[in-house]
Amino acid sequence: QLQLVESGGGLVQPGGSLRLSCAASGVRLSSYAIGWFRQAPGKEREGVSCINNSGRTTLYADAVKGRFTISRDNAKNTVYLQMNSLNPEDTAVYYCAATDGYSGDYWPLSAYEYAYWGQGTQVTVSS
């Protein structure tokens, strides 16, 4: 059974950076595409970025394009989200999620495409 654990969240000042990690256990993460999502208080969960099994294909939400970078190290069974130029609007709980194959029925950053979810890590951007 695939289990995902996020880490790396915390408090950062505007303009700062954080790197989130999503570590998998139970199975080889190379069999899964991974997405990062976030949910701010009072808002719906939104897709941030995703990466395919090999790491060759990535996708970003417009709100984070040019500031966030998703990557993966399948040998370490881990996916990363490097977040730069953070601003208060990035404050949210960040989740990683996995799918063993996109259905094609939804956009790859839709939560409906992902069957496995981590517990989330809090990111707070504040001065």
Side-chain angles (χ1 to χ4, degrees):
Q1 180 75 12
L2 174 62
Q3 292 184 318
L4 302 172
V5 177
E6 303 94 337
S7 62
L11 173 64
V12 63
Q13 291 187 341
S17 298
L18 283 174
R19 188 177 80 157
L20 304 184
S21 298
C22 172
S25 62
V27 296
R28 292 171 61 90
L29 195 59
S30 57
S31 299
Y32 297 83
I34 301 296
W36 281 100
F37 295 78
R38 66 186 182 185
Q39 188 166 18
K43 295 187 177 181
E44 293 186 355
R45 189 171 297 189
E46 64 172 344
V48 173
S49 181
C50 61
I51 188 167
N52 73 337
N53 303 40
S54 68
R56 293 190 183 98
T57 301
T58 59
L59 181 66
Y60 297 92
D62 287 344
V64 307
K65 202 171 292 183
R67 300 188 298 123
F68 290 12
T69 302
I70 191 170
S71 62
R72 65 191 301 157
D73 186 340
N74 286 337
K76 295 183 178 179
N77 243 24
T78 303
V79 173
Y80 305 98
L81 185 68
Q82 178 68 43
M83 306 187 297
N84 299 329
S85 302
L86 287 162
N87 58 62
E89 289 70 37
D90 295 315
T91 295
V93 178
Y94 282 72
Y95 301 88
C96 65
T99 177
D100 60 5
Y102 292 109
S103 70
D105 294 336
Y106 304 96
W107 187 42
L109 281 179
S110 168
Y112 291 110
E113 287 284 1
Y114 298 85
Y116 306 94
W117 291 82
Q119 293 301 306
T121 185
Q122 176 71 47
V123 171
T124 302
V125 184
S126 175
S127 55

